[in-house]
Amino acid sequence: MSITRRRVLGVLAGAAAAIGVPSVWMSRMKTYVGPASDHFDGTRFFDPDGVPPKSLGEVLRWQFGPGRLRQAWPEWAPSPHADTPPPRVGGEKVRLSFVGHASWLIQTSGLNILIDPMWSARASPVSWAGPKRHNDPGIAFDALPPIDVALVSHGHYDHLDITTLSKLAAKFSPRVITPFGNDVTMRSADSAIKAEVFDWHDRVELGDGVAVTLVPTRHWSARGLFDRNKALWASFVLETPAGKIYIVCDSGYGEGKHFRRVAEAHGPLRLAILPIGAYEPRWFMLDQHMNPSDAVKALVDCGAEQALAHHHGTFQLTDEAIDAPVIALRAALDEAKIPSERFVALQPGQVVEI
């Protein structure tokens, strides 16, 4: 394959979604300003238990180096499911609808909460390149109930989608709960987005007995050429009447410290939502994305009663086949002697109630 300027720009646009490779289109955006802490040096955030992100040279080695085994995905892989949620869910139930990739609608206590809302056709800073959807969102945007809150985990393009957040702001004006610095990205694009920013370990009341705590996760963030780790990333622990839900939108496994610490600080957990996709090649993805075997270890570490899988099957961010994460998850559960019903991979549009 010839390496053209357009090809390289397209690769960077795609990698911006997969691993936050910075892109020239956002290189002059404003960034977070605040006091130093144990995970912020005054300029950039860092994970004391993590590793630095990959370099541009390593990105190009992955994309253009010899021996790459990128599996072909079908052009379109529709889900047989589609959800039309109720306007509200009351009582002590929690209704979880899988939208696709890392997007969920969680309904409980009369609140409608979106996780990393992403309805766009591409996870990319540009419309002409980068990963495109291989199936429709499990809920049509026009079928959404009134949205009260959106939780946005970090700034990578497959998680912080400005187009979707702007549509939500225009239609519902929800609160957007996100880690430090991501409000700058949102408000720079659309001042109507009601972003509220918080640090790791901050607890935020959402109303009607529901609250969320931002917790450390093994990842990082970037959207522009010079903003690497200038915004924070997080996982979420959502307190509901049915128990606590641990929502990990993107994370490497490392030594499992993050998951065990959540168990210690926030357990017992009723449910964990864990990523299982975007993990090949391992030499490149190991530190930032879990594979299914890692996700099973994370489930054991956090001690959740049950887990749901996500971050697979919608955008081809990395090299594994579209069905590889689900197949590998079954094998990892068998190896760990964990019943398959304890860790389930849904398709977009499927619903679970707890």
Side-chain angles (χ1 to χ4, degrees), residues 16-267:
I19 45 126
V21 171
S23 57
V24 297
W25 300 277
M26 298 291 289
S27 63
R28 291 180 175 82
M29 63 180 292
K30 296 178 181 178
T31 54
Y32 171 79
V33 176
S37 72
D38 63 353
H39 55 279
F40 182 63
D41 64 11
T43 301
R44 298 180 192 275
F45 293 93
F46 60 93
D47 179 358
D49 296 304
V51 295
K54 298 297 185 184
S55 68
L56 180 57
E58 289 170 308
V59 175
L60 296 176
R61 174 189 160 198
W62 165 38
Q63 291 289 323
F64 299 113
R68 184 182 182 193
L69 298 174
R70 186 177 190 270
Q71 302 299 314
W73 282 30
E75 184 67 22
W76 193 245
S79 170
H81 308 280
D83 183 31
T84 301
R88 303 280 176 184
V89 171
E92 296 188 353
K93 288 197 311 182
V94 178
R95 186 182 192 273
L96 300 102
S97 177
F98 185 39
V99 178
H101 194 56
S103 302
W104 297 80
L105 171 65
I106 300 178
Q107 297 179 278
T108 186
S109 295
L111 290 174
N112 294 325
I113 302 166
L114 285 176
I115 311 299
D116 281 358
M118 172 51 153
W119 266 258
S120 290
R122 287 189 186 269
S124 173
V126 295
S127 62
W128 51 267
K132 61 182 179 180
R133 300 193 82 97
H134 290 263
N135 38 61
D136 286 323
I139 306 170
F141 189 86
D142 290 341
L144 282 171
I147 300 302
D148 304 295
V149 178
L151 307 181
V152 177
S153 63
H154 67 294
H156 289 163
Y157 288 90
D158 55 323
H159 296 264
L160 194 168
D161 179 41
I162 289 293
T163 300
T164 298
L165 291 172
S166 289
K167 290 175 67 175
L168 290 169
K171 189 170 184 178
F172 304 117
S173 192
R175 298 173 68 186
V176 179
I177 308 300
T178 192
F180 283 156
N182 295 294
D183 60 323
V184 178
T185 300
M186 297 175 193
R187 293 199 181 106
S188 295
D190 185 349
S191 61
I193 298 172
K194 294 168 60 176
E196 304 174 29
V197 291
F198 299 93
D199 201 356
W200 287 346
H201 308 296
D202 285 346
R203 183 176 180 273
V204 186
E205 295 280 356
L206 303 181
D208 297 314
V210 179
V212 66
T213 301
L214 287 73
V215 295
T217 198
R218 187 183 175 93
H219 204 55
W220 63 290
S221 189
R223 287 176 78 86
L225 187 59
F226 304 114
D227 71 336
R228 183 170 287 202
N229 284 2
K230 289 190 175 181
L232 187 59
W233 54 95
S235 293
F236 302 105
V237 176
L238 185 67
E239 301 169 31
T240 79
K244 294 180 181 179
I245 302 174
Y246 179 28
I247 305 164
V248 182
C249 297
D250 242 349
S251 182
Y253 178 74
E255 298 175 349
K257 292 180 181 179
H258 295 83
F259 305 101
R260 291 191 292 274
R261 287 170 181 164
V262 165
E264 293 165 2
H266 299 280

Side-chain angles (χ1 to χ4, degrees), residues 1 107 255 301 342:
M1 179 185 296
Q107 297 179 278
E255 298 175 349
D301 287 340
R342 189 177 168 198

